[in-house]
Protein backbone atom coordinates (compact mmCIF):
# COMPACT_ATOMS: atom_id res chain seq x y z
CA UNK A 1 0.00 0.00 0.00
CA UNK A 2 1.35 3.40 -1.03
CA UNK A 3 0.73 7.09 -0.35
CA UNK A 4 -1.51 7.36 -3.43
CA UNK A 5 -3.83 4.72 -1.92
CA UNK A 6 -4.48 6.55 1.34
CA UNK A 7 -3.73 10.24 0.72
CA UNK A 8 -6.27 13.00 0.90
CA UNK A 9 -6.47 14.54 -2.56
CA UNK A 10 -8.45 17.69 -1.74
CA UNK A 11 -5.58 19.71 -0.37
CA UNK A 12 -6.02 22.97 1.43
CA UNK A 13 -2.92 25.13 1.24
CA UNK A 14 -2.38 28.44 2.95
CA UNK A 15 -0.29 31.47 2.09
CA UNK A 16 2.74 32.57 4.11
CA UNK A 17 1.17 36.04 4.34
CA UNK A 18 -2.11 34.75 5.79
CA UNK A 19 -2.82 36.15 9.26
CA UNK A 20 -2.68 33.63 12.10
CA UNK A 21 -6.31 34.37 13.00
CA UNK A 22 -7.38 33.54 9.43
CA UNK A 23 -5.27 30.38 9.53
CA UNK A 24 -7.03 29.28 12.71
CA UNK A 25 -10.42 29.88 11.10
CA UNK A 26 -9.35 27.94 7.98
CA UNK A 27 -8.24 24.94 10.05
CA UNK A 28 -11.46 24.92 12.08
CA UNK A 29 -13.73 25.46 9.05
CA UNK A 30 -12.12 22.58 7.17
CA UNK A 31 -11.72 20.33 10.22
CA UNK A 32 -7.99 19.85 9.65
CA UNK A 33 -5.08 20.21 12.05
CA UNK A 34 -2.50 21.56 9.63
CA UNK A 35 -1.76 22.53 6.05
CA UNK A 36 1.06 22.99 3.57
CA UNK A 37 2.16 26.59 3.03
CA UNK A 38 2.43 27.52 -0.66
CA UNK A 39 4.28 30.49 -2.10
CA UNK A 40 3.00 32.55 -5.02
CA UNK A 41 4.48 30.07 -7.50
CA UNK A 42 2.63 27.20 -5.82
CA UNK A 43 5.84 25.72 -4.41
CA UNK A 44 5.59 24.42 -0.86
CA UNK A 45 7.63 26.64 1.46
CA UNK A 46 6.53 25.23 4.81
CA UNK A 47 3.99 23.37 6.89
CA UNK A 48 1.82 24.90 9.59
CA UNK A 49 -0.29 23.24 12.26
CA UNK A 50 -2.43 23.86 15.30
CA UNK A 51 0.68 23.21 17.40
CA UNK A 52 2.43 26.11 15.67
CA UNK A 53 -0.49 28.41 16.47
CA UNK A 54 -0.38 27.40 20.12
CA UNK A 55 3.39 27.28 20.64
CA UNK A 56 4.76 30.10 18.49
CA UNK A 57 4.24 33.83 18.28
CA UNK A 58 3.74 35.77 15.11
CA UNK A 59 1.22 37.76 13.13
CA UNK A 60 1.31 35.69 9.95
CA UNK A 61 1.86 32.10 8.83
CA UNK A 62 5.45 32.82 7.73
CA UNK A 63 6.39 33.64 11.32
CA UNK A 64 5.05 30.40 12.82
CA UNK A 65 5.34 27.78 10.08
CA UNK A 66 7.88 24.98 10.07
CA UNK A 67 10.20 25.72 7.17
CA UNK A 68 11.68 22.23 6.94
CA UNK A 69 9.32 20.29 4.69
CA UNK A 70 9.56 16.52 4.61
CA UNK A 71 7.53 15.11 1.76
CA UNK A 72 6.93 11.78 0.05
CA UNK A 73 6.06 10.60 -3.43
CA UNK A 74 2.90 8.80 -4.48
CA UNK A 75 4.66 5.43 -4.46
CA UNK A 76 6.13 5.79 -0.97
CA UNK A 77 4.95 2.87 1.16
CA UNK A 78 2.74 3.33 4.19
CA UNK A 79 5.48 1.73 6.27
CA UNK A 80 8.00 4.35 5.15
CA UNK A 81 5.50 7.15 5.76
CA UNK A 82 4.90 5.87 9.30
CA UNK A 83 8.67 5.64 9.88
CA UNK A 84 9.18 9.23 8.70
CA UNK A 85 6.36 10.49 10.91
CA UNK A 86 7.76 8.73 13.97
CA UNK A 87 11.38 9.69 13.29
CA UNK A 88 10.63 13.37 12.73
CA UNK A 89 7.71 13.63 15.21
CA UNK A 90 5.34 14.94 12.54
CA UNK A 91 1.68 14.24 11.91
CA UNK A 92 1.29 14.91 8.18
CA UNK A 93 3.35 14.62 5.01
CA UNK A 94 2.68 16.33 1.69
CA UNK A 95 2.64 13.96 -1.28
CA UNK A 96 4.55 15.46 -4.20
CA UNK A 97 4.64 14.69 -7.91
CA UNK A 98 7.06 16.63 -10.12
CA UNK A 99 7.33 19.44 -7.59
CA UNK A 100 3.59 19.86 -7.05
CA UNK A 101 1.50 18.82 -4.09
CA UNK A 102 -0.97 16.14 -5.16
CA UNK A 103 -2.10 15.00 -1.72
CA UNK A 104 -1.39 14.84 1.96
CA UNK A 105 -1.09 11.85 4.27
CA UNK A 106 -1.86 12.22 7.95
CA UNK A 107 -1.61 9.77 10.81
CA UNK A 108 -5.39 9.50 10.61
CA UNK A 109 -5.09 8.26 7.00
CA UNK A 110 -2.78 5.47 8.15
CA UNK A 111 -5.08 4.53 11.03
CA UNK A 112 -8.06 4.55 8.65
CA UNK A 113 -6.26 2.18 6.27
CA UNK A 114 -5.59 -0.19 9.14
CA UNK A 115 -9.23 -0.13 10.29
CA UNK A 116 -10.36 -1.05 6.79
CA UNK A 117 -8.40 -4.26 7.04
CA UNK A 118 -5.69 -3.12 4.67
CA UNK A 119 -2.65 -5.29 5.22
CA UNK A 120 0.15 -3.08 6.47
CA UNK A 121 3.24 -3.98 8.39
CA UNK A 122 4.24 -0.96 10.41
CA UNK A 123 7.27 -1.84 12.50
CA UNK A 124 7.97 1.64 13.80
CA UNK A 125 6.15 2.62 16.99
CA UNK A 126 4.32 5.92 16.67
CA UNK A 127 4.30 8.00 19.82
CA UNK A 128 1.99 10.90 20.46
CA UNK A 129 4.50 13.50 21.57
Amino acid sequence: MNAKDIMTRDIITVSPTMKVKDLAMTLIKNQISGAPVAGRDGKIVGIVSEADIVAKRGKDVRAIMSKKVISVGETTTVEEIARLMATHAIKRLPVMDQGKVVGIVSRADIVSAITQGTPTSIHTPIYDL
Side-chain angles (χ1 to χ4, degrees):
M1 176 167 281
N2 299 326
K4 67 181 175 188
D5 301 318
I6 65 168
M7 70 184 186
T8 300
R9 294 175 191 277
D10 295 328
I11 310 138
I12 295 166
T13 60
V14 297
S15 164
T17 59
M18 178 183 269
K19 300 296 180 202
V20 172
K21 181 178 179 179
D22 295 331
L23 167 66
M25 288 189 290
T26 298
L27 297 180
I28 289 169
K29 176 184 170 192
N30 293 286
Q31 298 180 348
I32 55 175
S33 61
V37 182
R40 289 185 183 179
D41 59 359
K43 183 178 178 183
I44 299 303
V45 297
I47 297 283
V48 69
S49 70
E50 293 169 330
D52 295 318
I53 294 172
V54 173
K56 299 175 183 175
R57 291 181 177 250
K59 294 182 180 180
D60 60 18
V61 169
R62 181 181 292 113
I64 66 168
M65 71 183 188
S66 299
K67 293 173 180 72
K68 181 179 178 184
V69 178
I70 299 168
S71 63
V72 296
E74 290 181 290
T75 59
T76 305
T77 65
V78 173
E79 292 83 3
E80 177 63 10
I81 293 168
R83 187 192 67 74
L84 286 168
M85 287 179 173
T87 300
H88 298 283
I90 53 180
K91 297 180 180 181
R92 69 201 52 77
L93 288 168
V95 181
M96 307 293 285
D97 183 29
Q98 298 181 4
K100 296 191 177 190
V101 180
V102 295
I104 193 159
V105 175
S106 70
R107 291 189 310 178
D109 294 321
I110 295 172
V111 172
S112 179
I114 292 169
T115 64
Q116 294 173 20
T118 304
T120 55
S121 175
I122 300 173
H123 300 289
T124 306
I126 298 177
Y127 302 102
D128 190 14
L129 300 174

